[in-house]
Amino acid sequence: MILKKSLLALLAMWSMCVVHARPGTEKDMILAQNKIRQDIEALCAPEMNGRFTGSEGARKAADYIEGRFRNIGILPYKNKYQWDFTAHVGTRVGSNAYFSIFNTRLNLNSDLIFMPYSGGNVIFGSIYPKVYEDDQVWLVPMSEARVMETNDFQKRLYDYSQNCISRHAAAVVFYNDIGSQYDFSPLNLNQYETLGKPVAIMNYKAYQTHLKSNLKKDWIEIDAKLGYENANTIGSNVLAYIDNKAALTVVIGAQYDHLGEGYTGADNNASGVAALLAAAEFVRTSRLSHVNFLFAAFAGGEQDHAGAKAFLKQNEHMLTAYSCMLDLDMLGRYNTATKNILVQGAATSPYWIPALQKLNKGFVLQIDSSGSGYSDFSVFYEKNIPALRISSGYHADFMKNTDVPQKINYTGTWQLVQYINSLIADLDVSGKPSFTKTLDYIPKIEALKSSLGIIPDNSFEQNGIKVGACLPNKIAEKAGILSGDVISRIGEFVIVDMNDYIEALTKTDKGKETTIIVKRDKYEFKFFVIL
């Protein structure tokens, strides 16, 4: 009831803003910035709980966005705002899984947690705590892993598991001998690279009940089966539509869900959704009328763009009517010193670059021509629809719990929205942009068996590969490589362009230590990694 009242209060405030705002006035600018701030803060609120696809938090976010569309005065797409689809969200322990100790089965997901980075299916053997023999199950007290010495004890246990497996453990079973405050829940597990061997954690009460009281026995009998299966959930796209009875429709989209508990995703991508809502209000009040406008808040962005793919599949008969797609993704970290804007998909139509340059009022455009990328625009490009992603760029908080509303540049976001609105107005009168295929490296990178875990900045035009972002818990981040570093060498390979980068990752020996040299500002750093 409290949440409902809060939502109604916010929507009432939006109504006042729409009625009294006058385009071009200072008051209008202040109101627009305040609405961007309030949309971002609403989507990052504790009750949204990180907006994980299919979760209660994501449903609350979808309801909030629907309410905003209603308040702006834009009708639903084909008579409904929310369109459900099935998204694959990883794996879960299967219905046949079990864990027995002394012939007593523990309750999975409460007494014992199988970690999502586990590999293999069986844990079996006669073991004893802190007896570590090759190719046997290792029973490890959490106190030995010194989890008390770090705020990120999930990462500490992952690293410790990795070390155990490198020393030939057949499986790793931690038991919590410290206290219930260090217990794990399947609802708050971080994702890491698969280790190839089973890893499980026995929570404190189960340790006290089933293990501690029996430690005087000679050996401890453990028998377990993991049996992972695919896990699916129901996501929902939120769609609003301005029907001008035109032959063409411009699609403007932004991903609204995120990583779940512990994350707010302020820039990624509450900022894009706030921009989407601002653009929707601009189109509505400006009465642009030569094309139709479809505003799409997509879910499933972290599940291989499942929401955007579902939208296109649900509307296959409409593909030729979609003039183009604008993807508003991560607009909240505009740097007023550099004035950089990252533009991806710029070569998917000869229309984009001249239009962007014509409308530019002082931004420095970082052009990435490729239609392939890590956002929803690439899904439209794959269907031969001109698609453009506009962003303020990657940063060190990408995909981390430090991506919070306090770090958003709200004035900068509003400035980007103004630029986007001018492009939307130009699209209204320019006709259908023609489509062109681009040179795409990302599918080649994803096909590689090795990865550094970076998102390359393909707008970088000098020698080397510039790191747009380091993915959490991947090789590059663990080694100490940072966003903005320029990779100049991998092992024996000098890196000038993307072809060199792909060749280096293809030909460098796996499982052996190799060097990576990067340029950072005026300095050069060497890192040692194992691919």
Side-chain angles (χ1 to χ4, degrees):
M1 180 63 72
I2 294 174
L3 175 64
K4 186 175 181 180
K5 288 182 178 178
S6 299
L7 179 59
L8 290 173
L10 271 175
L11 294 178
M13 180 169 58
W14 298 139
S15 180
M16 293 175 63
C17 292
V18 171
V19 170
H20 296 290
R22 300 187 192 284
T25 67
E26 183 177 355
K27 181 179 179 181
D28 181 47
M29 178 186 71
I30 294 172
L31 288 174
Q33 290 187 45
N34 285 341
K35 281 188 274 189
I36 289 170
R37 179 189 296 273
Q38 290 161 357
D39 281 333
I40 291 174
E41 290 179 348
L43 292 170
C44 295
E47 57 265 27
M48 302 300 180
N49 202 28
R51 311 188 302 277
F52 186 75
T53 306
S55 69
E56 181 64 22
R59 285 189 285 273
K60 290 176 180 177
D63 290 342
Y64 176 83
I65 296 166
E66 176 182 331
R68 288 283 283 115
F69 280 136
R70 288 181 181 274
N71 182 260
I72 293 169
I74 302 179
L75 296 175
Y77 181 61
K78 297 182 179 178
N79 299 317
K80 66 177 180 179
Y81 286 103
Q82 297 191 34
W83 290 73
D84 291 346
F85 62 91
T86 299
H88 175 60
V89 292
T91 58
R92 62 187 171 202
V93 176
S95 56
N96 295 325
Y98 63 87
F99 187 99
S100 293
I101 182 169
F102 299 117
N103 294 317
T104 299
R105 289 202 174 188
L106 304 188
N107 294 317
L108 299 184
N109 297 329
S110 57
D111 292 337
L112 185 122
I113 310 295
F114 284 124
M115 303 310 285
Y117 48 79
S118 296
N121 291 315
V122 175
I123 304 176
F124 182 81
S126 299
I127 61 177
Y128 203 76
K130 303 175 71 173
V131 175
Y132 305 139
E133 298 179 347
D134 287 1
D135 302 319
Q136 299 296 321
V137 179
W138 290 16
L139 189 57
V140 182
M142 282 175 58
S143 57
E144 181 178 291
R146 302 203 303 267
V147 298
M148 304 85 69
E149 299 175 10
T150 176
N151 292 325
D152 191 352
F153 52 93
Q154 289 200 48
K155 181 66 163 53
R156 174 62 63 87
L157 289 183
Y158 174 78
D159 291 341
Y160 202 91
S161 301
Q162 192 174 44
N163 179 263
C164 292
I165 291 168
S166 72
R167 292 158 50 205
H168 308 295
V172 183
V173 179
F174 293 100
Y175 58 90
N176 181 359
D177 61 334
I178 308 171
S180 58
Q181 68 270 32
Y182 291 96
D183 279 347
F184 280 72
S185 162
L187 299 177
N188 63 356
L189 299 179
N190 295 336
Q191 297 294 322
Y192 302 97
E193 290 185 54
T194 301
L195 293 180
K197 300 290 184 182
V199 179
I201 296 178
M202 186 186 301
N203 278 333
Y204 183 69
K205 184 178 179 180
Y207 158 69
Q208 294 278 342
T209 304
H210 301 288
L211 185 56
K212 185 177 181 180
S213 60
N214 291 295
L215 284 179
K216 294 182 180 179
K217 295 187 177 183
D218 289 339
W219 294 99
I220 298 166
E221 301 292 335
I222 288 182
D223 176 21
K225 179 180 179 181
L226 277 69
Y228 289 104
E229 62 187 21
N230 289 334
N232 295 322
T233 190
I234 301 299
S236 183
N237 295 326
V238 188
L239 308 179
Y241 188 54
I242 294 179
D243 185 2
N244 288 319
K245 309 301 181 184
L248 298 176
T249 297
V250 172
V251 180
I252 306 170
Q255 174 195 339
Y256 75 87
D257 55 3
H258 194 49
L259 298 175
E261 185 175 4
Y263 298 84
T264 60
D267 187 37
N268 182 22
N269 185 36
S271 66
V273 176
L276 174 72
L277 295 169
E281 185 167 341
F282 165 76
V283 173
R284 178 76 176 84
T285 56
S286 300
R287 302 187 183 280
L288 304 183
S289 59
H290 295 93
V291 298
N292 310 314
F293 291 92
L294 196 157
F295 302 95
F298 290 121
E302 310 304 338
Q303 290 76 45
D304 195 27
H305 316 297
K309 289 180 177 178
F311 166 79
L312 290 174
K313 186 173 182 179
Q314 291 165 350
N315 295 277
E316 284 182 310
H317 62 290
M318 294 286 293
L319 296 186
T320 56
Y322 294 143
S323 169
C324 61
M325 190 269 185
L326 289 180
D327 187 3
L328 311 184
D329 189 33
M330 297 174 58
L331 295 163
R333 296 293 191 91
Y334 176 64
N335 187 324
T336 54
T338 65
K339 302 186 183 299
N340 290 338
I341 299 178
L342 177 59
V343 178
Q344 295 177 273
T348 62
S349 173
Y351 163 80
W352 293 125
I353 292 179
L356 290 166
Q357 292 173 336
K358 175 183 68 175
L359 301 167
N360 189 7
K361 302 296 183 181
F363 297 114
V364 177
L365 303 182
Q366 296 180 298
I367 302 296
D368 178 356
S369 298
S370 177
S372 294
Y374 300 103
S375 193
D376 291 328
F377 80 100
S378 61
V379 179
F380 285 78
Y381 164 73
E382 290 168 1
K383 296 295 185 180
N384 297 335
I385 298 170
L388 193 76
R389 175 182 182 260
I390 300 178
S391 170
S392 58
Y394 293 103
H395 46 77
D397 297 313
F398 176 67
M399 301 287 279
K400 295 180 181 177
N401 57 11
T402 49
D403 178 12
V404 293
Q406 293 87 336
K407 295 184 179 182
I408 297 294
N409 177 353
Y410 290 100
T411 300
T413 305
W414 175 80
Q415 290 171 344
L416 289 180
V417 167
Q418 296 296 98
Y419 186 40
I420 291 165
N421 286 347
S422 67
L423 180 62
I424 292 171
D426 195 72
L427 283 166
D428 182 55
V429 296
S430 295
K432 184 175 183 178
S434 59
F435 174 79
T436 52
K437 280 285 186 181
T438 67
L439 183 62
D440 304 319
Y441 287 108
I442 287 178
K444 296 178 182 179
I445 294 174
E446 292 181 338
L448 296 175
K449 294 182 179 180
S450 291
S451 170
L452 292 180
I454 69 167
I455 296 180
D457 180 356
N458 290 330
S459 69
F460 186 66
E461 296 181 341
Q462 301 175 37
N463 288 349
I465 296 298
K466 186 176 182 180
V467 179
C470 292
L471 298 176
N473 305 310
K474 300 296 184 181
I475 291 173
E477 185 192 57
K478 290 178 183 178
I481 295 172
L482 302 178
S483 174
D485 286 351
V486 177
I487 299 172
S488 60
R489 193 178 189 96
I490 299 177
E492 64 182 29
F493 296 92
V494 175
I495 309 300
V496 175
D497 58 21
M498 190 62 71
N499 289 321
D500 297 328
Y501 178 73
I502 292 172
E503 182 183 18
L505 292 182
T506 302
K507 295 183 178 179
T508 300
D509 289 339
K510 313 304 181 288
K512 294 183 180 180
E513 188 175 72
T514 190
T515 58
I516 295 180
I517 296 176
V518 307
K519 295 177 182 178
R520 183 181 299 167
D521 298 324
K522 298 178 181 179
Y523 302 98
E524 192 170 81
F525 295 86
K526 180 184 291 186
F527 299 93
F528 297 92
V529 303
I530 297 176
L531 295 181

